[in-house]
Amino acid sequence: MIALPTPRPTALEVARIWALHCMAFVLPVTCLAFLATAPHPWWTALPWLGVIVGSVLADMYSRPERRQPDPTIPAWPFTATLYVLVAMHLGILGLLLRHTTLHGFWRADTLVALLLVGVNSGYSGIVVAHELLHRAEAHLVVLGRILMGTVLYEHFATEHVRGHHSRVGTPEDPATARFGESARAFFLRTVPAQLRSAWRLEAKRLGDPDMPWWDPRLLRSRVLHGLVAEWAVAAAILVLLGPGPFAAYLLQALVAVRLLEAVNYLEHWGITRRGSRPRTVDSWDTDSRFTLYTLVGLSRHADHHAHAWKPYQRLEFVEESPKLPYGYFGTVVMVLFADRRFRAYATEELRRRGLGPFAATASGAAAGTGASAA
């Protein structure tokens, strides 16, 4: 029999899926609205933080989303969403600097703005950058590097794509949290380790992973270019706008990077890879509908590591991967404020699935059962 071609989704079906992914605009729109209507007295500024609290609660009580995507769905509306999110992120940073310049740093509404913008830079700016860095088009990769530069973490573009994806789940990967490692210990270890790793990756590309810092070949290092560019922008803010906007810019970057590394922590905690290539059980997943559509598919991390080339709208749900207790919003709060509880949960989940340090035990038990049956 001749196989019939799979029917392409209708325009209405594409619009429905695209509309769900428009949940990614909730945080950016909130930031733009808050900054565009500033200044705010403290009693009207504080309620704006409700969008963060509401996001965490919505995520913790979210319905599961296990439906698989249609591989024939057109890419352009989802790519257009990324362009808009990039523009909104840059606009939000501009408005934050404007707000701090005009109204001052030591204000309640500036603190609220810093929290909103920092969370948005982590959950929208960095997440969008991560998606762009995996695209084949050079201009999209450049946009991803620019976004990472706005949080003073441009070296992530090198370390994540060329380092983390090849070494995930191994002792050589600084972005894989070890079994039993706390979130605080991981953060203190991974931040400098990822920068060192990115520097060595670029030095290796230029001819010698151990070349001294004064070697003229390093003038072609992308990591060096990123460091110079991102800190040149920060210095320009200090010189042109003053210490208040400069401090605001640094603090939003700090919040964003802290969120990024909390996500890195939970995405591979305790995983030990077996084999030369990542498997779908080498990453933690969540079936949270809220996380899937607000973080442009980031939650389907197991499929992302197995097929890093897939755009976010085509990532698949994987049943066999270990599952987080909540979506990313809820689990990040757990990691930051109840890390022992997260580690206890994660240990039991790895034990139940026979993964991480329990893989050998599970294999031995299976072998023993087979021998008894024989």
Side-chain angles (χ1 to χ4, degrees), residues 233-315:
V233 171
I237 291 171
L238 175 61
V239 171
L240 298 176
L241 302 179
F246 176 71
Y249 189 72
L250 296 188
L251 287 172
Q252 65 83 28
L254 176 62
V255 173
V257 169
R258 188 66 186 92
L259 290 175
L260 164 64
E261 296 307 346
V263 168
N264 265 341
Y265 175 77
L266 62 86
E267 283 180 333
H268 304 284
W269 188 90
I271 295 292
T272 304
R273 191 172 91 200
R274 294 174 179 271
S276 59
R277 297 188 61 184
R279 304 163 299 164
T280 52
V281 295
D282 292 332
S283 303
W284 288 79
D285 260 357
T286 174
D287 61 6
S288 166
R289 180 185 179 94
F290 187 82
T291 293
L292 176 66
Y293 292 121
T294 52
L295 299 185
V296 293
L298 184 68
S299 58
R300 292 187 168 178
H301 208 63
D303 191 33
H304 168 69
H305 268 276
H307 307 99
W309 53 267
K310 276 189 184 180
Y312 70 93
Q313 73 275 8
R314 289 182 54 193
L315 290 172

Side-chain angles (χ1 to χ4, degrees), residues 196 199-215 217-218:
R196 287 195 300 268
W199 187 271
R200 284 196 298 268
L201 285 168
E202 269 299 274
K204 181 179 180 181
R205 183 182 69 85
L206 296 172
D208 180 4
D210 298 315
M211 68 175 62
W213 62 268
W214 59 84
D215 193 303
R217 288 176 292 178
L218 283 174

Side-chain angles (χ1 to χ4, degrees), residues 97-306:
L97 297 176
R98 175 181 178 273
H99 169 82
T100 314
T101 302
L102 295 179
H103 307 297
F105 182 84
W106 300 106
R107 295 172 50 92
D109 63 342
T110 299
L111 176 60
V112 171
L114 285 173
L115 289 173
L116 287 174
V117 175
V119 171
N120 182 72
S121 293
Y123 279 151
S124 182
I126 291 179
V127 170
V128 172
H130 169 264
E131 176 69 21
L132 293 171
L133 292 171
H134 282 286
R135 295 300 179 98
E137 300 88 344
H139 71 282
L140 294 181
V141 175
V142 170
L143 284 179
R145 293 181 65 188
I146 290 172
L147 289 186
M148 293 308 304
T150 64
V151 294
L152 305 174
Y153 223 61
E154 195 279 334
H155 61 276
F156 176 87
T158 297
E159 162 55 28
H160 179 80
V161 176
R162 289 161 48 198
H164 174 61
H165 268 263
S166 64
R167 300 179 303 204
V168 63
T170 69
E172 292 74 34
D173 179 32
T176 294
R178 298 157 183 161
F179 181 78
E181 188 172 27
S182 69
R184 180 178 180 275
F186 172 75
F187 182 74
L188 294 176
R189 173 177 68 84
T190 195
V191 171
Q194 287 190 55
L195 177 57
R196 287 195 300 268
S197 175
W199 187 271
R200 284 196 298 268
L201 285 168
E202 269 299 274
K204 181 179 180 181
R205 183 182 69 85
L206 296 172
D208 180 4
D210 298 315
M211 68 175 62
W213 62 268
W214 59 84
D215 193 303
R217 288 176 292 178
L218 283 174
L219 293 175
R220 294 184 285 118
S221 168
R222 294 167 187 162
V223 172
L224 179 61
H225 298 165
L227 287 168
V228 170
E230 66 192 9
W231 284 101
V233 171
I237 291 171
L238 175 61
V239 171
L240 298 176
L241 302 179
F246 176 71
Y249 189 72
L250 296 188
L251 287 172
Q252 65 83 28
L254 176 62
V255 173
V257 169
R258 188 66 186 92
L259 290 175
L260 164 64
E261 296 307 346
V263 168
N264 265 341
Y265 175 77
L266 62 86
E267 283 180 333
H268 304 284
W269 188 90
I271 295 292
T272 304
R273 191 172 91 200
R274 294 174 179 271
S276 59
R277 297 188 61 184
R279 304 163 299 164
T280 52
V281 295
D282 292 332
S283 303
W284 288 79
D285 260 357
T286 174
D287 61 6
S288 166
R289 180 185 179 94
F290 187 82
T291 293
L292 176 66
Y293 292 121
T294 52
L295 299 185
V296 293
L298 184 68
S299 58
R300 292 187 168 178
H301 208 63
D303 191 33
H304 168 69
H305 268 276

Side-chain angles (χ1 to χ4, degrees), residues 32 84-95 143 146-147 150:
L32 283 174
V84 176
L85 287 169
V86 169
M88 293 179 74
H89 173 74
L90 297 177
I92 287 165
L93 290 181
L95 287 175
L143 284 179
I146 290 172
L147 289 186
T150 64

